[in-house]
Amino acid sequence: MNATELFLRDHARVHAAGVGEAEAGMYLQDFILGGLTDDQVRLRPVERVNSLAWLFWHMARSEDMAVNSLVFGQPQVIEGDGWLERLDLTRRDIGTGMSDDEVGDFTGGIDLAAMRQYRAAVGRRTRELVGAMPDAEWSNLIDADAMERAQAAGSLGPNAGWMPGVFGGRTKAFILSHAAVGHNFWHLGEAVTVRSLAGAPLPI
């Protein structure tokens, strides 16, 4: 199994059915959001805890920014097809550094059906781009101006100024494995906890 095959295998797991083909049909988004009402997806069961709505949007935005702006140097999914209007949002940053009040306002306003559609569109774009990327490119560094490009697109909020120092100058392998797989797994674990705190533990 080469790097691309490994990436696509793990990436399929963190999305919903229809984005990629996950082993044993284990689509973690469907598993975690399955059976929940919109009110439960918006719920913040404990003070200062993120909602499921915010978590899945943040995962999608982070993957969109990292894959498109940082790795492939092209417009993000959020920049086309009227996504901001469809999501009922006015901000395009990835959410890192949002205040508690901002998370609350965001959670109550986002269109949940559009959020799922947007995340699927991001996932499919990622798979298309990575699937066509030559093996030799995995070890290449991202462009020197990649983080500036992301900032110019409005992807980083006022409290995310630390990110260029962490992600600038990294390899494509680092950015892809973190932002499109590892970061998703981290927040999926958080989502399981939020669901349990909301009184709807997973049947496992």
Side-chain angles (χ1 to χ4, degrees):
M1 181 179 295
N2 62 27
T4 299
E5 291 168 338
L6 178 61
F7 173 88
L8 294 175
R9 184 197 68 178
D10 288 343
H11 181 262
R13 295 172 177 166
V14 302
H15 278 274
V19 173
E21 187 173 345
E23 290 182 278
M26 181 54 73
Y27 301 100
L28 293 175
Q29 176 175 317
D30 294 341
F31 188 54
I32 293 171
L33 294 182
L36 298 180
T37 65
D38 284 357
D39 286 344
Q40 287 173 311
V41 175
R42 295 188 195 276
L43 181 65
R44 301 179 72 192
V46 178
E47 186 178 359
R48 302 186 66 81
V49 166
N50 294 317
S51 65
L52 293 172
W54 187 91
L55 287 169
F56 280 90
W57 166 82
H58 171 65
M59 284 186 271
R61 283 297 298 120
S62 298
E63 180 176 332
D64 192 5
M65 178 200 73
V67 173
N68 292 291
S69 280
L70 302 189
V71 175
F72 291 99
Q74 65 176 26
Q76 298 174 38
V77 174
I78 196 77
E79 297 176 58
D81 296 328
W83 276 114
L84 283 176
E85 293 79 11
R86 292 162 66 180
L87 290 160
D88 201 15
L89 298 177
T90 58
R91 59 188 300 165
R92 64 177 66 232
D93 64 286
I94 66 174
T96 298
M98 267 191 186
S99 69
D100 191 56
D101 287 343
E102 286 175 322
V103 172
D105 290 343
F106 170 91
T107 292
I110 189 171
D111 184 293
L112 295 180
M115 179 271 289
R116 294 174 190 248
Q117 293 161 4
Y118 167 63
R119 188 162 191 259
V122 169
R124 287 192 290 268
R125 168 81 68 82
T126 295
R127 298 181 70 79
E128 176 184 352
L129 293 171
V130 174
M133 187 174 75
D135 289 344
E137 287 195 25
W138 282 93
S139 59
N140 288 353
L141 298 178
I142 62 173
D143 294 344
D145 62 349
M147 290 305 304
E148 288 78 9
R149 188 165 54 232
Q151 288 179 304
S155 300
L156 303 181
N159 297 319
W162 55 270
M163 292 187 68
V166 174
F167 296 103
R170 297 286 190 171
T171 64
K172 292 185 177 184
F174 178 90
I175 299 294
L176 288 170
S177 62
H178 171 75
V181 177
H183 178 259
N184 283 318
F185 275 120
W186 293 354
H187 283 301
L188 288 166
E190 182 182 355
V192 171
T193 300
V194 171
R195 178 174 170 140
S196 295
L197 290 172
L202 290 169
I204 54 176

